[in-house]
Amino acid sequence: MTAKRNIVTLDGPAGVGKTTLAKRTAQALGIAYLDTGAMFRTLGWKLGADAASLSEAELTARLAAFSFSLSGSGADTVLSVNGTPVGQEIRTEEVGMLASIVAKLPAVRTALKAAQQAMGAATPLVAEGRDMGTVVFPEARCKIFLDASPQERARRRFDQLVAMGETPDLEALTEQIRQRDDQDRNRAIAPLKPAEDAVIVDTTTLDIDGVFNEIMRHVKANA
Ligand code: C5P
């Protein structure tokens, strides 16, 4: 049996609260967090949906121009691309959809998996995304899969976007989240699903403190 690695994985669908909870868990553990959605968002934003029409060789060459790095720890962890911290511009639902489009491409998944595993080899992590427990860190010491109804996730995303000064439409947001779920769950490579050894936490009726306490309970049980 392979040794368990000092990595906590948080996977789950769009809008379930993974980033907030990964940040908080990392802060409590005094380690870094890795927001892998931000990596796919950055590539979606920089390459656009046209990436899907590039040849494998062209896309691989384009991807070589992006280098991701992680610095700091806890809530102060910073993810950078080519030395520049990833900013708020990637946080829209439109960029989320572009991320989901490029996330289906084998060359993109291969490049980001290598970058994510290199970061995990260098430092203990709370790693959040869709395939952290299944594909990228199968040997993680604690795997958690967060879920919630699409309506509840859309409502949470709505609140987040309002806090960022945007004026989202709740119905449109619910539909976008459903589409993105479908795309993430049904793709051929690294689809969104819980690892066999993941603990599933349904957060629909829990507030953020309730979910955080649940996560910490599992983390401690797997220390
Ligand atoms: O989590 P977030 O909404 O930021 O992720 C954006 C998109 O990136 C997801 O909808 C998904 O398609 C993709 N993604 C992925 N694998 C991950 C993280 C994100 O495919 N580990």
Side-chain angles (χ1 to χ4, degrees):
M1 201 177 122
T2 33
K4 296 276 176 189
R5 300 264 307 284
N6 196 7
I7 290 178
V8 174
T9 60
L10 285 187
D11 287 303
V16 80
K18 296 184 302 292
T19 307
T20 308
L21 289 156
K23 201 183 276 192
R24 209 163 146 184
T25 307
Q27 179 72 17
L29 298 175
I31 62 178
Y33 74 93
L34 177 60
D35 175 355
T36 60
M39 300 171 83
F40 286 94
R41 282 171 182 267
T42 300
L43 294 185
W45 185 56
K46 301 251 185 195
L47 298 174
D50 290 349
S53 54
L54 296 176
S55 73
E56 184 92 358
E58 274 172 321
L59 183 55
T60 302
R62 297 277 302 272
L63 289 167
F66 299 98
S67 167
F68 289 93
S69 57
L70 209 55
S71 60
S73 69
D76 298 322
T77 307
V78 177
L79 173 71
S80 298
V81 59
N82 300 338
T84 303
V86 169
Q88 284 301 311
E89 61 280 353
I90 59 162
R91 298 291 165 195
T92 64
E93 200 42 46
E94 287 68 28
V95 175
M97 188 53 86
L98 285 174
S100 184
I101 291 168
V102 302
K104 290 193 280 189
L105 307 173
V108 168
R109 295 219 77 87
T110 302
L112 289 191
K113 180 178 163 191
Q116 291 154 4
Q117 289 181 332
M119 292 188 232
T123 185
L125 286 179
V126 177
E128 61 108 330
R130 303 293 187 288
D131 59 343
M132 295 296 101
T134 49
V135 173
V136 179
F137 300 116
E139 73 292 24
R141 75 173 161 101
C142 179
K143 300 182 185 179
I144 295 167
F145 189 91
L146 300 173
D147 213 347
S149 68
Q151 292 81 357
E152 173 60 17
R153 289 186 281 119
R155 198 195 54 75
R156 290 178 192 169
R157 192 66 115 200
F158 179 86
D159 289 349
Q160 255 175 16
L161 293 171
V162 168
M164 283 166 58
E166 294 193 27
T167 46
D169 172 334
L170 184 59
E171 225 170 280
L173 211 49
T174 312
E175 185 46 36
Q176 283 167 332
I177 281 192
R178 273 188 206 282
Q179 274 181 24
R180 198 138 71 84
D181 279 359
D182 266 8
Q183 194 151 261
D184 290 346
R185 286 201 164 100
N186 296 318
R187 67 181 172 220
I189 319 168
L192 168 66
K193 65 170 183 195
E196 273 175 18
D197 50 349
V199 171
I200 299 176
V201 179
D202 187 340
T203 72
T204 306
T205 59
L206 294 173
D207 64 9
I208 200 88
D209 288 339
V211 183
F212 174 67
N213 292 338
E214 226 1 53
I215 291 174
M216 288 309 289
R217 200 164 67 73
H218 294 300
V219 168
K220 283 179 190 149
N222 288 286

